[in-house]
Amino acid sequence: MERESSDEAHRPDTPPLVASDVRKVFQRGERQVAALRGVSLSVKHGEFLAIMGASGSGKSTMLHALAGLTDIDSGTICVEGQDLAKLPDAKLTRFRRDRIGLVFQAFNLVPTLTAEDNVRLPALEQAGLEEKVTELFAALGLSERRGHRPDALSGGEQQRVAIARALVSDPAILLLDEPTGSLDSVAGQELCKILKILSADRQKTVLVVTHEPAVAFWSDRVLVMRDGTLLDEFSTDDLESAELLAQRYQLALNQQTIT
Amino acid sequence: MRAVLLLIRSHLSVHRVRTLLTTLATASSVCLLVWIISIYSSAIRSFDLYASRALGHYDLIVDPVSRKANREVASPALELLRDEAQVAQIDPMWARLLTFRAERTDTDRSKGSQEVVDRHSREGGWEEVIIGSDAEAPPFPLLRGRWIAPDTSEGLQAVLSLECSERLGVTVGDELSIAGPTENQPRIQVVGVIEPPPATITGVMVGSRMLPSPSVGAVFVSMNDAERIHRTKPTITFAAVSLRDGVDVHTFRYRLAPALYALAKPVQFMTDLDMEEEMSEAAKASSMTLQAYVVGIVSVLLAFLVIFSTLSMGVTERARQFALLRAVALTKTQLSALIAGEGLALVSFGLLLGIPAGWFLVIVVDRATDGVIRNGVHVDWTGIGLAVLISGVASLLAGVLPAWRATRVKPLDAIAPQNATRVESQWLASFGWLLVAFPLIGLLPLVSLVFPPSVSDPIFARLMLGAAGLALGLLLLSPVLVRWTDRLCVPPLARLLRLPKALLQQQLTSQLWRTVACAVTLSVGMGLFAAIHVWGWSMVYVFVPTNWAPAATLVLERPLASDQIDQLREWNPALQVVPLMVEQPRLRDDLLNSAEFPSVTRQMVVVLAGLDPQSGFGGADPLVDTQWIAGTPSEAIAMMKSNRGCVVPDHFYNQAGLKLGDPIYLVPPESPENPVRYTLAGAVRLRGGQWMTKTTNMRMRTHRSAGLVFADYQSVAGDFQLPGPRHCWIQSDEASLDEDALLAAVQSVQYRLDTTLGQEGKPDARIMPTQDIEGHILSAAQFWLWFMSVVPLIAIAISSVAMLNIFLASVRARQWDFGILRALGFTRSVLIRIVIAEGILVGIVACLVGCAFGLIAGWCGTALTQTSSWFGGMDIALTLPLVTLLIGSGTLLTFAALAAVWPALKISSMSPLSLLDRGRGMSQ
């Protein structure tokens, strides 16, 4: 894989993900909708960050921009020091494949491939792939299911396979868009536990977009978005339950409404 | 690349039915290609062989034009040919009928053939054709012994044909004697046996005339021995010509014809009826090559469309998957490689299955058609190699558009709602495309009808350019046709199938890619079928005699006297009997440029029919009642009577570029030194005139004729020294002509004046009703056109497999929609009827596209054929075989409906819940 990045990327004090003054406007017929209005953020190594917000707040657009899935109108997004806007399509695709792990709410897996082939897919040329796949399946509790196709897996299992696929190329960051949206609460909590382990124990940088306080509760820090701007930011260290997090989130929204 | 291969393998193995059906359809196309190329190439080889078998190793025969007893190929003709650089060898031959007896050294050998001798021999001997020749090599393979030496001081030597050798019961070393009035006849030693083709193939006699060909020879002797046997220097009956390698026989023949005709004793490259037919078979062989190319193109196009539609369907239903792959793993190039790889894999499966299947079919046909393809059927591996190559390229091309569509999928589509991930395709049905489509469709009419090519223009290039434009134009037009079909055909079909109209509406347009892919694939066979029949019937009808022709032609072996004609008229006053003085003179000048561009109407010879001008063209009800292209009946009659005026057919008039009053010099065959000046008095439409002369012995000297020319009865009789009419045209007021009664009357009048005719004998005449000519032409045309339609009908069947494939994918992609319908209370039967109705609607679009292609290509093809084909040159009117087109359309609609049955049953057999579950699964 051709690395566009600089030495900066490997410096431990350099945040793996930095976004500065990101702006994005969508054209909806004759109407222009500002999805992102100068959003800036920085995520540290091993940090578990949650972005919360209501529908239309711009949180998903922000995640897509961070993953290089959508072009931004202005601002910069650097992953491991690499400005995504400077990469042509093919190089961006390879960069995303190797350095960014992506997990969506659903439709995550290629239906014609088995679970292990789905995991192998982004890293087929990589050395030591089989050991890595085996280790990931073991770590995610999927060793018995690796030969199954997606239609034979439960929703939770499919999401875990998707996480394994996102991790197989050892990316700098893991971006998840509403990963528990299609799961029941038990499976959702198990998934969150895995994400917490990844960030805490394996020092993976995890960014989750969600509207569920129960998911955000597992994160280290929460960013609240509304109307394309960052509204608030708070740590979860002092919050003892998801309910308290929900109240804090609501408070952030209400304060802004009052002001 | 490993990721791409992994995805190709998994996709093809998971969708086994789709892979299998695509393979089946592609394999059928390949099989068709292998089969047709092999059959055609074998048939072409067979025609070539057949044409040359009668001639032995020679390319042409030189035959005197004269039919008098003392006719010969004179030395100026031989010298002229010897001076030709393209002639490799010329062997003059003398031929006579003599009676031979076997003088066997081993009498036991005769036992087996004794019965045959008793049955067929005359006066204890056998009448055989002896040929004198100084040829250095035998014309046919030597089976035993050696070939005759040109000059030997030993006794007489002969080489026998195998058939003659068996008939006489003699072989090498035995002797023959020539039967004669005295016992002192020369003895001939048999020195060799050769194997000419069987007489059943080459023929020996036509009418009372011996074929001028080595194949008729039973006993071959040297010219020296021929002189000793004949007791006088033999004249040259005909000469056999070999051309140098690479010289085109057809071109050579027509290039040299004017010079040969211009000799004091004119000769012609006329083989005879059978061989002449075979020469035109060679022309057929070249048109068969063109047909093989067309079939090849159709097969490859079919394979292309089958793969294209499968790949397109795959892209449509996998849009979300591609988006996901773009998001997590694949670049656009890799995604394109994925589509191209799937196409190549599918065509490879098709080739792996299709080539052995085609090979097997060829063997089956070879065994089943013993004798039909005379040279045997062989697999043409060169053609197959080419087919493999072209199929590979076609599959890659088939992937271009689907690959482009796949790369248009954005990674973000992976998380978009289901409807948003459908590849947008409504733009295809935009009416703006008509601005591009119609000019493309108009290209072929433009290069063929509006600006017709001249004979020297590159016709094939025009055809290919125009046909490609037409196909592309119709392809662009098809989405609009889909929209019209949706609007116009859905209401009646919904009523017919008792379906709520709303359920059928938009089904075609909402799945435009699927509909267009299916319709275009199905239309290939229909287009070819329609083109064959529109072209074929338009071409055929110019050969069918129309109302101008008489009810029948009376053909006589002996000329009738004028009082015999009067007696015939008295016998039945209701009959109009018009005697004809018929000769087949050549044109002094090559008015039609036959030397350079010969065709069925561009020849140097015409059939001249002398008739009473008033009976033929005068009065309110003339015998030849037809349209005048130039001149008027009254002026023409006056010129015919006073000034050797002649009336020519329209195609002759147009091709020669003559004006009224221009001279036409005709050379009497028996008096070539005295050309006769005729004057162009008029031109008339004579549809079918060519066949009228062909089937009634009016072409008595050569098989070819530029057309039927009318002149004054007395002028023709005098100018060409004809003793009396051998043909009469009969017009009858009665509903049907009593042929037997007429023949009896002819015999009666002939007998009355000529007592040498036996009462018991057959009448020296025959009647050829014009209706029979028409029936013969039409039935032959019907047979050949339907024979040629086999390939398009197979193409329709193959494309219906592709359609089945696409429909299976289509219903699979719509399981959620069907689940909703079932949940809302619609029955299984409704689902079945919806899917079958969709199949019928797709079939209707295919019929429209196919018929439009066939109609335009067929009609424009006739225009191009005018200048390019051997059979071109005549004024052709568009003939629409409506019943045939309806049969073709009905077949296509049936296949389209049948192709929808399996998907319909499959979807209807699922419960509402499983439809919803699977539908949800499909969307993930």
Side-chain angles (χ1 to χ4, degrees), chain B residues 731-779:
Chain B
Q731 193 63 291
S732 171
D733 294 336
E734 295 160 7
S736 63
L737 186 67
D738 188 342
E739 294 172 37
D740 294 335
L742 179 58
L743 275 180
V746 171
Q747 190 182 17
S748 163
V749 298
Q750 283 180 323
Y751 178 68
R752 237 179 277 168
L753 293 184
D754 188 349
T755 50
T756 60
L757 286 172
Q759 281 280 56
E760 301 288 319
K762 287 181 181 175
D764 235 4
R766 67 184 172 91
I767 291 179
M768 174 55 75
T770 304
Q771 217 170 19
D772 285 6
I773 298 173
E774 184 180 343
H776 173 75
I777 296 171
L778 293 182
S779 62

Side-chain angles (χ1 to χ4, degrees), chain A residues 64 89 96 104 107-108 124, chain B residues 2-3 320 324 326-327 415:
Chain A
H64 300 155
D89 184 76
R96 188 165 54 229
F104 302 119
F107 334 123
N108 258 317
L124 280 166
Chain B
R2 283 179 61 194
R320 184 182 292 278
L324 175 71
R326 286 279 290 117
I415 44 176

Side-chain angles (χ1 to χ4, degrees), chain A residues 64 69-70 89-90 93-94 96-97 102 104 107-113 117 121-122 124-125 149 165 177, chain B residues 1-3 6-7 10 14 320-321 324-332 334 411-412 414-415 923-924:
Chain A
H64 300 155
L69 292 175
T70 186
D89 184 76
T93 303
R94 291 194 197 103
R96 188 165 54 229
R97 183 181 66 195
L102 269 175
F104 302 119
F107 334 123
N108 258 317
L109 305 177
V110 179
T112 55
L113 297 179
D117 279 341
L121 196 59
L124 280 166
E125 314 291 337
R149 288 218 172 79
R165 186 185 60 199
D177 187 8
Chain B
M1 194 45 70
R2 283 179 61 194
L6 177 69
L7 287 162
S10 70
V14 167
R320 184 182 292 278
Q321 196 187 116
L324 175 71
L325 288 169
R326 286 279 290 117
V328 302
L330 300 188
T331 61
K332 284 183 179 178
Q334 286 175 312
L412 262 185
I415 44 176
S923 71
Q924 290 184 5

Side-chain angles (χ1 to χ4, degrees), chain B residues 314-529:
Chain B
V315 170
T316 304
E317 68 178 357
R318 287 187 291 169
R320 184 182 292 278
Q321 196 187 116
F322 289 155
L324 175 71
L325 288 169
R326 286 279 290 117
V328 302
L330 300 188
T331 61
K332 284 183 179 178
T333 312
Q334 286 175 312
L335 210 52
S336 304
L338 173 69
I339 304 295
E342 284 180 7
L344 272 178
L346 289 170
V347 87
S348 303
F349 296 155
L351 287 168
L352 283 174
L353 195 67
I355 289 175
W359 178 74
F360 177 73
L361 205 59
V362 168
I363 291 173
V364 170
V365 169
D366 189 27
R367 293 195 177 163
T369 59
D370 187 29
V372 175
I373 305 290
R374 293 175 289 267
N375 196 28
V377 185
H378 305 286
V379 175
D380 182 8
W381 291 107
T382 312
I384 289 167
L386 204 62
V388 170
L389 191 71
I390 294 171
S391 302
V393 174
S395 75
L396 285 175
L397 287 176
V400 170
L401 193 58
W404 174 75
R405 290 176 62 220
T407 55
R408 286 182 70 223
V409 174
K410 297 185 184 102
L412 262 185
D413 293 338
I415 44 176
Q418 174 70 8
N419 287 340
T421 59
R422 286 188 179 167
V423 179
E424 188 56 50
S425 55
Q426 293 307 310
W427 56 272
L428 271 175
S430 157
F431 283 93
W433 283 111
L434 298 184
L435 296 174
V436 185
F438 281 126
L440 283 170
I441 291 169
L443 198 58
L444 186 57
L446 200 69
V447 297
S448 56
L449 297 170
V450 183
F451 300 107
S454 67
V455 282
S456 54
D457 283 344
I459 310 293
F460 192 68
R462 282 187 182 225
L463 179 67
M464 284 296 112
L465 180 74
L470 177 61
L472 193 59
L474 287 171
L475 183 69
L476 293 175
L477 184 67
S478 52
V480 179
L481 288 177
V482 170
R483 189 177 271 185
W484 290 344
T485 308
D486 214 356
R487 284 184 191 165
L488 299 175
C489 299
V490 163
L493 193 63
R495 267 198 301 277
L496 187 72
L497 296 175
R498 287 185 295 159
L499 283 168
K501 199 172 73 179
L503 287 183
L504 261 189
Q505 254 165 352
Q506 302 295 314
Q507 286 295 347
L508 290 189
T509 42
S510 65
Q511 300 171 76
L512 204 56
W513 274 108
R514 177 211 66 173
T515 310
V516 170
C518 281
V520 169
T521 309
L522 278 175
S523 69
V524 171
M526 184 64 204
L528 188 60
F529 177 86

